[in-house]
Amino acid sequence: MTFLGTGGSVPNKFRNLPSVLVRRGPELLLFDCGEGTQRQFLYARAGINRKMRILISHMHGDHVFGLPGMLHSLSLMGRTRELEIIGPKGVIGLVTSVNRVVRLYNRYPIRVREVKPGQVVKDEEYAIHVAAAQHGIPCLAYSFQENPKPGRFDTAQARKLGVPEGPLWKVLQSGKPVKIGKRRVIPRLVLGHPRRGVKLTYAVDTRPCSSVIKLAAGSDLLIHDSCFAESAASKAREYGHSTASEAARVAKRSKSRLLALFHISAMYEDASPLLTEARRVFHRTILPRDMETVSVVA
Ligand SMILES: [Zn+2]
Ligand SMILES: [Zn+2]
């Protein structure tokens, strides 16, 4: 995944507005679309015509003003495939009104869905769970979770059981039994325990809250609002954001494996004090720069 923009509210010289790109095989997920995202997206060379979903957390400008430009650029660059946009109430109105007034995009279909906390968006190999963040206006946190993967295939054991290498191995790997003469070989005999998939949680523009802790439980990576240092804790409370150490406490309580500090206020040219503060609470914390790429494995 690539952090396209890691700042919040207004951009500065170092940080663009929030957007996180997840590449999963040939598929793309984009969390939020702050202004300027299309440029970062093109730099990231993510591909124009892939299966793609954009997930919007809430209807504050710094998270959605990049959407018209993004949709427009994708069309000009030759996208023909359907694009899905998921977000809270208001996202349909935004896309349709921009399209009505500016007539941006007519080369590919756009499907927009409004979702609520508690909903689950299911795909073949993963699910995206939606929960409420705590931010003054309705704000959604998302957790992307891959389905468990089949266990490792024991080739020696398959041979021992008389299953010849070839298409029958594939059948067993897909979880179906095969017949060898009159004998049936069931997958359990040649497959290890199912392996859990990756879990990635995106919770920005939020106070630390129990619904996010619950959503994030056991995440391989938690991307959490970390707008301010502890010295500006009152600002965080006032504007519905979190300090770095509050984000770290959420990571700790949700038993996440790695925390990425995100949505850094433009007032910090050097945000390293935020990292120091967070690491005092939760050591496995990173402070990604714009365009930094991180591999997430289960
Ligand atoms: Zn924001
Ligand atoms: Zn906001």
Side-chain angles (χ1 to χ4, degrees):
M1 43 158 303
T2 305
F3 293 88
L4 299 184
T6 56
S9 309
V10 289
N12 68 8
K13 188 174 165 189
F14 308 99
R15 296 181 189 272
N16 207 60
L17 292 171
S19 187
V20 173
L21 172 69
V22 177
R23 300 174 224 229
R24 184 182 178 275
E27 184 177 348
L28 304 176
L29 295 167
L30 191 72
F31 290 94
D32 278 331
C33 198
E35 207 171 336
T37 294
Q38 89 238 58
R39 188 159 179 265
Q40 311 283 82
F41 179 84
L42 294 174
Y43 277 155
R45 298 185 176 277
I48 297 299
N49 214 19
R50 292 171 182 245
K51 178 177 173 186
M52 183 170 170
R53 279 198 172 107
I54 300 179
L55 298 116
I56 300 294
S57 61
H58 66 304
M59 300 308 289
H60 274 159
D62 56 328
H63 296 253
V64 295
F65 283 155
L67 207 46
M70 183 76 187
L71 301 177
H72 186 54
S73 288
L74 285 174
S75 180
L76 292 180
M77 308 268 305
R79 186 176 180 93
T80 52
R81 207 166 166 172
E82 184 184 83
L83 176 83
E84 187 174 36
I85 301 170
I86 293 172
K89 192 170 183 328
V91 75
I92 293 179
L94 173 74
V95 174
T96 50
S97 58
V98 169
N99 196 26
R100 191 179 58 239
V101 178
V102 191
R103 293 227 163 258
L104 293 173
Y105 21 81
N106 43 17
R107 296 199 192 144
Y108 62 94
I110 297 173
R111 190 148 63 101
V112 196
R113 268 172 82 177
E114 291 182 350
V115 293
K116 288 188 183 141
Q119 254 177 279
V120 182
V121 178
K122 283 198 171 151
D123 204 296
E124 262 175 49
E125 294 180 354
Y126 62 84
I128 298 167
H129 295 256
V130 185
Q134 200 183 307
H135 184 54
I137 69 162
C139 182
L140 303 174
Y142 295 104
S143 190
F144 160 87
Q145 188 158 14
E146 287 180 332
N147 300 340
K149 296 172 181 165
R152 291 194 198 285
F153 189 71
D154 187 340
T155 53
Q157 181 68 2
R159 287 202 178 91
K160 211 162 141 192
L161 292 167
V163 187
E165 188 172 350
L168 290 181
W169 283 19
K170 276 243 157 15
V171 176
L172 283 167
Q173 275 168 330
S174 73
K176 297 189 190 93
V178 297
K179 262 197 149 177
I180 305 293
K182 286 188 175 168
R183 265 184 323 117
R184 240 166 78 94
V185 176
I186 55 170
R188 194 168 50 81
L189 299 174
V190 291
L191 289 179
H193 289 296
R195 291 167 289 166
R196 67 179 193 89
V198 162
K199 180 169 179 179
L200 177 78
T201 301
Y202 180 82
V204 297
D205 289 36
T206 186
R207 294 287 303 138
C209 62
S210 57
S211 59
V212 167
I213 292 169
K214 199 172 152 206
L215 177 78
S219 293
D220 296 293
L221 173 64
L222 167 64
I223 300 165
H224 197 281
D225 184 318
S226 172
C227 220
F228 298 108
E230 217 38 51
S231 54
S234 59
K235 261 193 175 152
R237 273 193 300 276
E238 186 181 345
Y239 297 114
H241 286 288
S242 300
T243 64
S245 42
E246 284 172 334
R249 278 193 283 279
V250 172
K252 198 172 180 179
R253 289 185 61 190
S254 63
K255 297 190 165 54
S256 294
R257 289 172 63 198
L258 184 69
L259 167 68
L261 303 180
F262 191 75
H263 201 284
I264 309 298
S265 164
M267 66 193 245
Y268 301 107
E269 282 207 354
D270 170 19
S272 59
L274 277 71
L275 184 61
T276 308
E277 288 180 8
R279 281 189 173 162
R280 262 183 224 136
V281 180
F282 187 77
H283 186 68
R284 294 184 305 280
T285 302
I286 55 171
L287 174 66
R289 293 184 306 267
D290 281 17
M291 300 308 287
E292 192 166 328
T293 293
V294 174
S295 289
V296 187
V297 289

